[in-house]
Amino acid sequence: MLLDCSAPVPLRMAQEGLDWPNLDAIWISHFHMDHCGGLGPFLAGTKHSVAMKGRTKPLRIIGPQGIRDLLQKVSDVNNYRFFEQPFPVEVKEIEELEKFEILPGVEAVACKTPHTAESHAIHLRDSDGKTLVYSADTAFDEVVAAFANRVDLFILECTYVRNKPIKKHLELAEAMFLIRKAHPGRAMLTHFYPEWDDVDFEKEVARFDAPCQLIEAVDGLRLEI
Ligand SMILES: [Zn+2]
Ligand SMILES: [Zn+2]
């Protein structure tokens, strides 16, 4: 599955050698371009992809209320007919705190975050009981920490280093506070704005007493949960 689909995703899945022709589900947190801008290009490509010609398995696209309308509008820009694929495309609009099966044996539930009107975080639990929370984009809110309580992996946005200029994202001190509250097995910080480019991650996070292993998200990183 994919959790969010930014513009480079179709290319990056191929570069990483991922099994994209068999992708089962795409979950979208909110409608900012860096989280959904790859959906259109992906669906325009899959219509003509040789690798997907024989596929019969449905592709599920799951997101907040409005995701179907958004896809339809992008599709209508040039009559792309995103929903007419060699395989069925199922769009599911979810409400927060309503459990759904994202993949066979993987239970998911979304939680509202203070970022945009529709933005969600997601909690996943597989059949072995392994759990993950991905905050996507969020302002500071202890509800996000409660939602991630004792998960095996807490993936949290950390847009700014410090002195954040806008409310709707986190800076490092806030992310560390939420991690301390959540008591996860491990935590990963991601969604770094250019403010992070010249910052030594290990040195910067050492200012805080991390309660668990803290991972810096980098392109191509692979983790076992
Ligand atoms: Zn956003
Ligand atoms: Zn974002």
Side-chain angles (χ1 to χ4, degrees):
M1 78 181 92
L2 265 180
L3 301 181
D4 281 335
C5 185
S6 64
V9 160
L11 173 68
R12 293 291 297 135
M13 285 196 291
Q15 285 178 333
E16 291 295 330
L18 302 179
D19 187 13
W20 58 269
N22 282 308
L23 186 64
D24 290 287
I26 303 174
W27 175 80
I28 298 295
S29 61
H30 65 296
F31 304 149
H32 280 159
M33 209 48 108
D34 57 323
H35 296 260
C36 68
L39 275 179
F42 183 65
L43 292 173
T46 54
K47 282 177 79 94
H48 309 288
S49 153
V50 175
M52 283 176 129
K53 280 271 181 287
R55 175 174 169 148
T56 53
K57 182 172 65 167
L59 173 68
R60 301 181 76 207
I61 300 174
I62 304 145
Q65 299 292 320
I67 182 102
R68 185 178 289 110
D69 185 49
L70 176 82
L71 277 169
Q72 189 62 58
K73 282 179 174 148
V74 179
S75 179
D76 289 345
V77 166
N78 193 36
N79 194 24
Y80 286 115
R81 293 181 303 230
F82 286 162
F83 301 114
E84 294 170 33
Q85 299 277 348
F87 49 87
V89 177
E90 297 169 359
V91 180
K92 185 176 167 58
E93 300 194 330
I94 53 165
E95 298 285 355
E96 69 162 335
L97 305 181
E98 188 182 271
K99 274 186 191 157
F100 61 97
E101 205 175 43
I102 191 164
L103 298 179
V106 182
E107 190 180 83
V109 63
C111 164
K112 184 76 201 76
T113 54
H115 179 68
T116 60
E118 78 286 0
S119 61
H120 285 155
I122 191 167
H123 184 291
L124 300 176
R125 180 188 303 275
D126 77 3
S127 50
D128 298 330
K130 296 282 172 65
T131 51
L132 176 155
V133 159
Y134 164 51
S135 70
D137 289 357
T138 185
F140 180 77
D141 189 346
E142 290 191 32
V143 166
V144 177
F147 189 55
N149 188 40
R150 302 196 183 276
V151 288
D152 292 301
L153 181 64
F154 184 16
I155 305 174
L156 186 58
E157 79 125 280
C158 190
T159 300
Y160 294 105
V161 183
R162 59 181 94 200
N163 305 323
K164 64 178 186 179
I166 50 168
K167 268 200 164 144
K168 61 181 187 178
H169 285 294
L170 298 178
E171 62 182 51
L172 181 58
E174 295 170 323
M176 294 302 294
F177 182 94
L178 294 178
I179 290 167
R180 240 177 269 121
K181 278 244 150 186
H183 305 285
R186 287 185 292 174
M188 181 195 284
L189 297 181
T190 188
H191 201 274
F192 303 118
Y193 271 20
E195 282 81 347
W196 278 97
D197 284 359
D198 300 319
V199 172
D200 180 331
F201 181 83
E202 295 301 335
K203 237 182 177 167
E204 196 64 32
V205 301
R207 296 194 287 127
F208 301 89
D209 209 5
C212 64
Q213 189 194 349
L214 200 63
I215 302 160
E216 175 187 17
V218 292
D219 285 359
L221 180 66
R222 283 158 203 235
L223 282 183
E224 189 115 355
I225 299 174

